[in-house]
Amino acid sequence: MTTLPDEAKLRDALGVLKDREQVAERLLLASDQHSFDPDTELDWDAPFEEGKWFWPPELVSLYDTPLWRRMSEEQRMNLARLENASLASLGIWFEVILMQLLVRHIYDMSPTSSHVRYALTEIADECRHSKMFARLIHKGGLPTYRVTPLHHNLARVMKTVSTTPGSFAGTLLGEEILDWMQRLTFPDERVQPLVRGVTRIHVVEEARHVRYAREELRRQMVTAPQWQRRMTRVTSGQSARVFALSFVNPQVYTDAGLDRHEAVAQVKASPHRREVMQAGAKRLTDFLDDVGVLRGVGRRMWKSAGLLA
Ligand SMILES: [Fe+2]
Ligand SMILES: [Fe+2]
């Protein structure tokens, strides 16, 4: 008899879940109407414009630190260029992980369902995005920044064994914070037109990915076995910590001619940077809180990652 309240709660929660097929059908329709081929959509032959930023200065990790105030405008713009390359490299890493998670997610499902057809559409989007980010790095003559071997291998394990709710919580972490920054970047007239074009395409297509992952995570946090829901709270906290550490590759500071240790310490101590990261994560953390991911030890990990106030 003690199980009755739980069952009633489950029925209530199921009531707010949207039909999986209906969600996918809407997303497929939107994909038909607004998908882009970056190779033809963007002008890759136009030279970069003198005096324009590769990333809005306020979103550069060192912005408003004592070190930033000592830097010349030229040094600041160069750091923004390198951070753009670091974020584009990170974007490719996330997308490759996500593609594998999506393939694993649909492996046992009906291949003709709309839910699976949308997952395949999203994988195709991510393929185009990864090539677009790589082309941007290449055109800018910029370095490719790789995460540390430890994080690279942690992700190898995670993408191979993660549970379905764990996979979708990780997906949202990879998508939503970068998306928040890109939403500020594409309308910004101080920014290089090519960077604005890349971020605009990404924002439009990512909105659907976020919707798909949110609906699925909400469903999973009601229907998945309890051990998976519990584990998701911890693994998402751990992923948030890895995410915060690898968000900007510290090699950018060395490449910009700065003292790497001093730069890392100043970023860590920067109230502006903390605000930016927490503002970027706010939409995501509100949602994760709502669906029951941010509890217990996992919640403390999100705080120690600096992504939750
Ligand atoms: Fe993407
Ligand atoms: Fe995506």
Side-chain angles (χ1 to χ4, degrees):
M1 295 306 280
T2 51
T3 59
L4 269 179
D6 271 356
E7 280 172 18
K9 243 196 272 170
L10 184 64
R11 267 198 309 278
D12 272 0
L14 284 169
V16 300
L17 293 181
K18 298 203 175 71
D19 180 77
R20 208 186 218 175
E21 286 294 278
Q22 256 176 25
V23 170
E25 273 151 32
R26 264 188 232 127
L27 293 172
L28 280 165
L29 191 67
S31 306
D32 264 352
Q33 290 164 345
H34 301 285
S35 288
F36 305 94
D37 176 359
D39 284 337
T40 52
E41 182 74 20
L42 302 173
D43 183 359
W44 293 95
D45 295 326
F48 287 117
E49 288 183 20
E50 200 65 41
K52 293 227 160 159
W53 292 79
F54 275 74
W55 203 239
E58 300 78 13
L59 299 181
V60 174
S61 60
L62 273 173
Y63 181 81
D64 206 27
T65 58
L67 193 51
W68 179 266
R69 290 193 278 273
R70 292 207 304 269
M71 289 160 72
S72 66
E73 192 71 350
E74 198 186 326
Q75 276 180 310
R76 292 171 179 173
M77 291 182 94
N78 186 38
L79 180 63
R81 221 173 117 253
L82 295 165
E83 286 202 13
N84 180 309
S86 168
L87 290 174
S89 304
L90 187 79
I92 299 171
W93 183 57
F94 282 152
E95 291 185 338
V96 169
I97 293 170
L98 171 60
M99 286 187 248
Q100 184 172 345
L101 294 177
L102 284 170
V103 168
R104 283 185 48 219
H105 173 61
I106 62 176
Y107 188 65
D108 293 318
M109 295 181 179
S110 163
T112 50
S113 67
S114 299
H115 186 72
V116 169
R117 279 200 299 134
Y118 182 73
L120 293 170
T121 305
E122 182 168 326
I123 292 166
D125 291 349
E126 301 298 23
C127 277
R128 294 193 307 276
H129 295 168
S130 290
K131 288 191 291 176
M132 170 173 78
F133 290 144
R135 196 166 175 184
L136 178 66
I137 294 170
H138 192 254
K139 171 157 171 87
L142 293 160
T144 308
Y145 290 100
R146 308 294 300 262
V147 297
T148 64
L150 173 68
H151 291 159
H152 185 78
N153 285 311
L154 270 178
R156 186 197 307 285
V157 176
M158 186 281 282
K159 71 193 171 76
T160 311
V161 302
S162 74
T163 61
T164 309
S167 295
F168 281 99
T171 297
L172 287 170
L173 173 68
E175 290 185 331
E176 292 215 31
I177 299 172
L178 266 177
D179 184 63
W180 179 86
M181 290 193 170
Q182 291 179 334
R183 276 170 197 270
L184 294 174
T185 305
F186 82 79
D188 192 330
E189 288 177 0
R190 298 168 301 171
V191 174
Q192 292 286 350
L194 183 62
V195 174
R196 293 180 62 189
V198 164
T199 47
R200 180 178 50 84
I201 289 179
H202 205 245
V203 163
V204 171
E205 299 191 339
E206 244 11 62
R208 300 192 291 262
H209 302 179
V210 167
R211 176 82 200 283
Y212 185 74
R214 280 188 173 207
E215 296 292 349
E216 190 56 33
L217 182 60
R218 188 185 284 284
R219 188 176 299 116
Q220 292 289 331
M221 288 308 286
V222 175
T223 56
Q226 198 183 46
W227 70 268
Q228 292 196 3
R229 286 181 276 145
R230 277 198 185 142
M231 201 163 103
T232 298
R233 294 185 186 115
V234 180
T235 54
S236 85
Q238 177 56 22
S239 304
R241 279 158 70 158
V242 170
F243 178 89
L245 281 173
S246 42
F247 193 66
V248 169
N249 191 312
Q251 181 63 29
V252 297
Y253 306 122
T254 313
D255 292 349
L258 302 167
D259 181 297
R260 178 183 174 136
H261 293 289
E262 189 188 5
V264 169
Q266 292 205 10
V267 170
K268 221 171 163 188
S270 161
H272 172 81
R273 187 58 174 175
R274 194 165 38 246
E275 244 171 66
V276 164
M277 294 306 285
Q278 284 178 5
K282 173 90 170 71
R283 215 176 37 166
L284 169 64
T285 49
D286 283 352
F287 171 77
L288 293 178
D289 209 8
D290 184 39
V291 298
V293 174
L294 293 188
R295 290 193 197 149
V297 63
R299 187 182 187 90
R300 290 198 288 281
M301 288 162 112
W302 276 84
K303 282 190 177 174
S304 83
L307 297 175
L308 187 65

